[in-house]
Amino acid sequence: MLFKTHLAFGILLWLIIKPYFNINNYLFLSIIILTSLLPDIDKSNSLLGKKIKPISFIIEKLFGHRKLFHSLLFWTVISALIWRYAGKPYAIITLLGISSHLIADALTKQGINFLYPVSQFRIAGFIETGSLLETIFLLTIIGTIIITILF
Ligand SMILES: [Zn+2]
């Protein structure tokens, strides 16, 4: 999925879950935006990757795109560390932000291996990245965001 789709999906997630967390709204939103985009750090020509090209280039070469950095297993380990050093709420929202990215990517034809590197099982959908279908998906998310804010 494209940067803007992940961003919109992250914002929708934040709107839905923010009543359940006692964290400063701006900090909360910042963490959700960062984590909903972070997995694409493994792709040097993604919008996030371009901003930190040397780092993302190394990660892409070492780990590959949509492998380790798109593994729920990997991010669960990272979240466990966050839980240990920053606290439970930060660990949970990190995992939720990352999950929003992985779920959106799992809807694409390329799919996601949630349990990489332990399993080869891949979940894939039917949306082509950057296609009309993705635009419709994005507009649906934006529509849901507007409805959530208004009602
Ligand atoms: Zn991705």
Side-chain angles (χ1 to χ4, degrees), residues 37-147:
L37 301 171
L38 198 57
D40 281 345
I41 199 172
D42 69 8
K43 194 179 171 203
S44 57
N45 67 355
S46 71
L47 209 74
L48 177 70
K50 277 184 200 155
K51 299 233 183 294
I52 40 165
K53 194 117 187 169
I55 297 168
S56 68
F57 183 78
I58 291 167
I59 291 174
E60 189 175 23
K61 285 289 163 238
L62 284 178
F63 302 107
H65 177 49
R66 287 205 182 185
K67 288 185 172 168
L68 189 67
F69 282 74
H70 280 71
S71 163
L72 192 60
L73 211 55
F74 169 72
W75 289 108
T76 303
V77 173
I78 299 293
S79 298
L81 294 172
I82 293 172
W83 188 321
R84 172 79 173 77
Y85 295 104
K88 184 176 164 184
Y90 295 100
I92 292 173
I93 62 175
T94 296
L95 206 55
L96 287 171
I98 295 286
S99 298
S100 82
H101 184 106
L102 301 183
I103 290 166
D105 275 357
L107 298 172
T108 66
K109 282 183 177 168
Q110 203 190 341
I112 288 289
N113 178 355
F114 285 92
L115 299 176
Y116 181 89
V118 174
S119 159
Q120 292 302 311
F121 182 66
R122 183 169 281 275
I123 296 174
F126 50 86
I127 299 176
E128 195 109 44
T129 301
S131 67
L132 175 66
L133 215 53
E134 178 170 349
T135 305
I136 293 167
F137 181 64
L138 173 61
L139 292 174
T140 307
I141 296 168
I142 292 171
T144 313
I145 288 172
I146 293 168
I147 290 166

